[in-house]
Amino acid sequence: MKELVNENIRNLIPYQVADLDYDVKLDANENPYHIPEILDGELKKELKEEIFKEFWNYYPDADATELREALAQKCGVAKENIIMGNGSDEIILNLMLTYLNGEKAVVIHPPTFSIYKIFAQVTNGKVKEVPLTEEFELDAEKMEAAAKESDSAITIITYPNNPTGNLFQEEAVEKIIKNAKGIVVIDEAYYEFAGKTFMDRIGKYKNLVILRTLSKAYGIAGLRVGYMVADVALVNEVNKVRLPYNLNKISQLVALKMVKNDDKFRPIIKEILEERDKMAVEVAKIEGLKMYKSDTNSIFFRTEKAEEIFAKMLENRILVRKFSGNMKDFIRISIGKKEDNMKVVEILKAVMQKQ
Ligand SMILES: *Cc1c(COP(=O)(O)O)cnc(C)c1O
């Protein structure tokens, strides 16, 4: 039966999520705090009541109007500029379904978020890879040249990048948006940590798409809520591809609470950033680890003992992210709760000091 499967799917290596035993999850850049615990008890109670007041036998609001209105206000755009996704992952797929085919390409800058390449293959698009430099900076000239080619329908810039954690030079990115042949997607999954955005240029560039998620800073990865912001004409095309009712009632309801209470996340974001900077200093002191600057809620480093570090962390019931292929010497660790971060530093020291 395998020969019935489309060739692009048959040859696909699926996105892998670790299936391991652990207590502390620091592998996927999630917020270490469960949201209702951050927000006050009143909100927790209110949420519970509202969730059970909802009629689950009816479909949700197909356009997530209230949520889009709240987000539009925060982003300084109109709700017509916004599409919600079941995670921003779903929007990446919808963008590719809208713009790619066998003749058209997506331009990406590895090492970056692996979903882009997987979905390009799913939608049978071509992939043009413009690797980051040795220090993981954007190779801006090559990226721009690739984005300018006539078959480059989508260019994706991850700002800041994942897994490396760094922002790229703003002027270089804007030049790519300006000169690209196709649409340019700026994936701002870590915007709340990095504080830098291209949102104010939505009105200026008709080919610009900003991707955001509530999975990272806003701590609802488990509810799958992401969104894109773009020119209305572009939004209308991508909306033809979106599944009806793609955002369920509970996700819409909780996401709305989170967006309306985004000020309550500020102390948490501040704590995570302080912890990250503290860890960066501690980890940089350890011999044999090369740290990279992070603008996200994770640290990223190079080491010849990546395999050993991963194993030792797991032995201590901590899951971190390791990579394979030409990234096998790298580790990414999400910033967790204070006590867990301290434990991470201790384990790193122990592994690296062992001869
Ligand atoms: C985590 C992440 C996403 C996925 O976000 P979801 O909204 O949970 O699908 C998208 N892009 C980047 C760069 C990420 O790190």
Side-chain angles (χ1 to χ4, degrees):
M1 292 308 272
K2 204 167 176 186
E3 66 279 3
L4 291 177
V5 177
N6 284 338
E7 207 174 323
N8 55 319
I9 305 297
R10 222 186 302 152
N11 299 331
L12 192 65
I13 300 162
Y15 185 81
Q16 300 208 321
V17 178
D19 180 21
L20 297 159
D21 212 15
Y22 55 83
D23 291 324
V24 180
K25 190 172 187 306
L26 300 178
D27 70 321
N29 292 352
E30 291 133 321
N31 193 317
Y33 297 99
H34 178 221
I35 291 310
E37 283 171 8
I38 312 168
L39 299 169
D40 54 354
E42 196 184 314
L43 185 63
K44 203 171 173 179
K45 197 168 142 259
E46 197 187 324
L47 262 182
K48 258 191 203 158
E49 281 169 9
E50 282 196 39
I51 281 175
F52 292 107
K53 214 169 62 191
E54 275 292 326
F55 293 107
W56 295 352
N57 52 326
Y58 296 118
Y59 285 109
D61 175 1
D63 297 317
T65 308
E66 241 190 302
L67 179 54
R68 278 164 56 239
E69 271 165 3
L71 285 168
Q73 204 178 357
K74 300 282 177 193
C75 296
V77 297
K79 71 174 189 305
E80 287 73 22
N81 294 109
I82 298 182
I83 296 182
M84 299 308 304
N86 198 314
S88 52
D89 283 355
E90 187 188 50
I91 297 173
I92 296 167
L93 179 61
N94 286 344
L95 285 165
M96 293 193 181
L97 287 167
T98 308
Y99 290 96
L100 289 189
N101 62 31
E103 275 80 54
K104 294 197 280 184
V106 59
V107 181
I108 57 173
H109 54 63
T112 190
F113 194 41
S114 57
I115 283 285
Y116 308 143
K117 196 173 174 176
I118 295 171
F119 285 174
Q121 209 170 332
V122 166
T123 54
N124 221 352
K126 293 192 286 184
V127 180
K128 293 183 192 173
E129 300 190 288
V130 181
L132 298 179
T133 67
E134 191 103 350
E135 287 298 306
F136 299 125
E137 290 301 331
L138 194 67
D139 192 333
E141 270 175 41
K142 283 203 185 122
M143 197 75 186
E144 190 182 328
K148 272 174 159 171
E149 286 166 5
S150 62
D151 61 341
S152 297
I154 308 178
T155 297
I156 305 181
I157 297 172
T158 316
Y159 187 84
N161 192 34
N162 174 13
T164 59
N166 56 317
L167 282 163
F168 302 127
Q169 222 217 339
E170 189 178 337
E171 295 74 28
V173 174
E174 178 148 7
K175 207 158 155 263
I176 293 168
I177 300 169
K178 199 187 230 161
N179 296 324
K181 173 79 182 161
I183 65 165
V184 178
V185 179
I186 308 291
D187 187 341
E188 297 186 353
Y190 301 95
Y191 160 68
E192 293 81 5
F193 298 110
K196 296 259 284 173
T197 180
F198 282 86
M199 193 62 81
D200 57 340
R201 271 149 282 192
I202 281 294
K204 191 169 173 191
Y205 300 111
K206 303 238 176 276
N207 65 332
L208 172 61
V209 176
I210 309 266
L211 266 188
R212 296 261 182 97
T213 179
L214 274 72
S215 295
K216 306 286 160 65
Y218 292 112
I220 53 169
L223 294 178
R224 314 301 300 119
V225 184
Y227 60 102
M228 62 166 258
V229 182
D231 182 69
V232 177
L234 197 159
V235 161
N236 289 343
E237 295 303 325
V238 179
N239 250 333
K240 296 178 189 171
V241 168
R242 184 174 63 88
L243 288 179
Y245 315 115
N246 63 327
L247 209 58
N248 72 70
K249 279 189 175 176
I250 295 174
S251 297
Q252 289 192 35
L253 198 138
V254 179
L256 184 63
K257 290 276 174 231
M258 298 305 143
V259 173
K260 285 190 168 166
N261 287 281
D262 64 349
D263 58 313
K264 302 228 171 48
F265 287 85
R266 257 166 237 150
I268 283 295
I269 292 169
K270 188 162 167 271
E271 184 199 304
I272 290 171
L273 292 180
E274 281 167 8
E275 281 292 297
R276 178 198 68 199
D277 292 344
K278 228 167 64 191
M279 279 191 80
V281 171
E282 286 304 310
V283 175
K285 281 190 220 155
I286 305 172
E287 218 172 303
L289 302 183
K290 179 176 166 30
M291 277 290 296
Y292 292 84
K293 187 187 178 308
S294 172
D295 294 291
T296 66
N297 60 333
S298 63
I299 56 166
F300 180 74
F301 55 84
R302 179 179 202 135
T303 168
E304 279 169 16
K305 290 187 176 179
E307 203 60 60
E308 214 178 318
I309 289 170
F310 182 83
K312 198 73 191 170
M313 291 286 174
L314 209 53
E315 224 179 275
N316 285 274
R317 307 200 53 81
I318 300 173
L319 183 64
V320 300
R321 184 75 156 91
K322 74 176 164 76
F323 303 89
S324 56
N326 62 355
M327 295 300 287
K328 69 173 179 33
D329 292 336
F330 292 86
I331 296 267
R332 187 192 68 201
I333 305 179
S334 314
I335 305 303
K337 294 177 181 166
K338 277 185 183 164
E339 63 271 25
D340 295 326
N341 300 334
M342 265 167 59
K343 204 164 162 195
V344 163
V345 172
E346 275 166 32
I347 296 167
L348 287 177
K349 279 184 185 159
V351 174
M352 299 311 292
Q353 278 157 12
K354 204 179 71 189
Q355 289 311 311

